[in-house]
Amino acid sequence: MSEKYHNNFLKEVEEMVEEGEWVKMCMQCGVCAGSCPLGPHWAHPPQEIFMMIRAGKREEVLRSDSMWMCTSCYNCVVRCPRKLPITHIMHGLANYAHRLGLSPKNQPTQQFATLFWNNLAQTGRVNELKLSLGIYFKDGFAQGVKNAMAMQSVGLGMVKAKRLNPMELFGGHGVKDKTGFHAMLKKAKEIEDRRKNFA
Ligand code: SF4
Ligand code: SF4
């Protein structure tokens, strides 16, 4: 058997990916691919990803950037005649590929997801100012200054409208029980690591 094909990949997805047990229910009607506003621009729209999983194309699926492009618009979910939770499966596959270290490098939505998570995990609430700066400066200082200058009118408008608080640079808001929040994240990581070791 070619290394590119893994006969048990469907079973692996069923066991390891959130909502992965639904993939076998796909009847390849193509409604999701036709409903996805962005699918035609991806290497593999959802219908194709599900077909590739069943065909055992493990590397091709897990290294794909298609799952990272899903905007969670839920168009596909409301139209799927088999009621597959397509959006959740796409995010579950992206998450699984990330856990295995197989997700594509420098993929913009993956970079945003990582910045967002690291930001949120500090205090339990997103610090919009630090998140925006993190995005602007992700490609270095010079590019960051250019990005910030290009967006300054938007930023100032948000400050005026009280949607952005400059003081958040020095701390910002968070959940009341930060200790409990971090304990919850630690527990979730332990569970995730157990699953990773099982993979
Ligand atoms: S709409 Fe549902 S059944 Fe049809 S191809 Fe997409 S996932 Fe499969
Ligand atoms: S939820 Fe994701 S996969 Fe479904 S239609 Fe929207 S962008 Fe496409």
Side-chain angles (χ1 to χ4, degrees):
M1 185 181 70
S2 160
E3 281 189 15
K4 285 186 176 173
Y5 293 90
H6 292 248
N7 285 340
N8 56 359
F9 185 41
L10 175 63
K11 193 166 185 304
E12 180 181 341
V13 167
E14 287 175 347
E15 287 172 359
M16 305 303 294
V17 173
E18 185 186 350
E19 308 282 12
E21 69 276 15
W22 282 89
V23 172
K24 61 177 175 293
M25 299 299 290
C26 172
M27 62 181 186
Q28 290 293 302
C29 67
V31 168
C32 58
S35 310
C36 181
L38 300 166
H41 305 288
W42 302 348
H44 310 295
Q47 173 203 3
E48 212 171 289
I49 291 277
F50 301 156
M51 183 266 291
M52 288 160 67
I53 292 172
R54 294 171 78 160
K57 295 187 176 182
R58 185 177 190 271
E59 299 289 307
E60 218 176 315
V61 168
L62 294 177
R63 291 190 187 281
S64 168
D65 65 358
S66 296
M67 297 89 74
W68 294 93
M69 311 282 216
C70 174
T71 58
S72 308
C73 71
Y74 286 85
N75 254 358
C76 53
V77 174
V78 296
R79 292 186 180 158
C80 173
R82 287 278 174 91
K83 303 200 181 312
L84 266 77
I86 302 163
T87 314
H88 300 169
I89 303 170
M90 294 296 272
H91 292 312
L93 283 166
N95 182 279
Y96 184 49
H98 180 67
R99 292 197 325 252
L100 295 179
L102 294 176
S103 50
K105 304 285 175 257
N106 301 324
Q107 208 284 334
T109 51
Q110 187 199 6
Q111 286 180 327
F112 177 78
T114 306
L115 279 168
F116 186 92
W117 175 255
N118 290 341
N119 184 305
L120 174 72
Q122 284 180 28
T123 65
R125 292 185 69 176
V126 174
N127 183 314
E128 288 93 352
L129 183 57
K130 285 185 183 171
L131 180 62
S132 305
L133 291 174
I135 294 165
Y136 292 166
F137 285 86
K138 73 181 172 50
D139 296 320
F141 183 75
Q143 186 58 45
V145 172
K146 268 192 211 164
N147 293 339
M149 293 302 284
M151 295 299 288
Q152 65 174 314
S153 62
V154 176
L156 287 173
M158 288 176 74
V159 171
K160 271 190 202 155
K162 297 194 187 326
R163 299 307 303 257
L164 204 61
N165 179 1
M167 296 313 288
E168 293 220 326
L169 202 53
F170 307 101
H173 52 207
V175 293
K176 279 185 190 156
D177 182 10
K178 286 202 193 72
T179 308
F181 172 68
H182 287 132
M184 185 182 74
L185 290 187
K186 187 165 174 268
K187 187 73 190 166
K189 182 154 188 336
E190 281 168 15
I191 294 170
E192 190 174 291
D193 286 347
R194 271 207 296 276
R195 295 185 79 189
K196 193 173 172 182
N197 291 336
F198 175 71

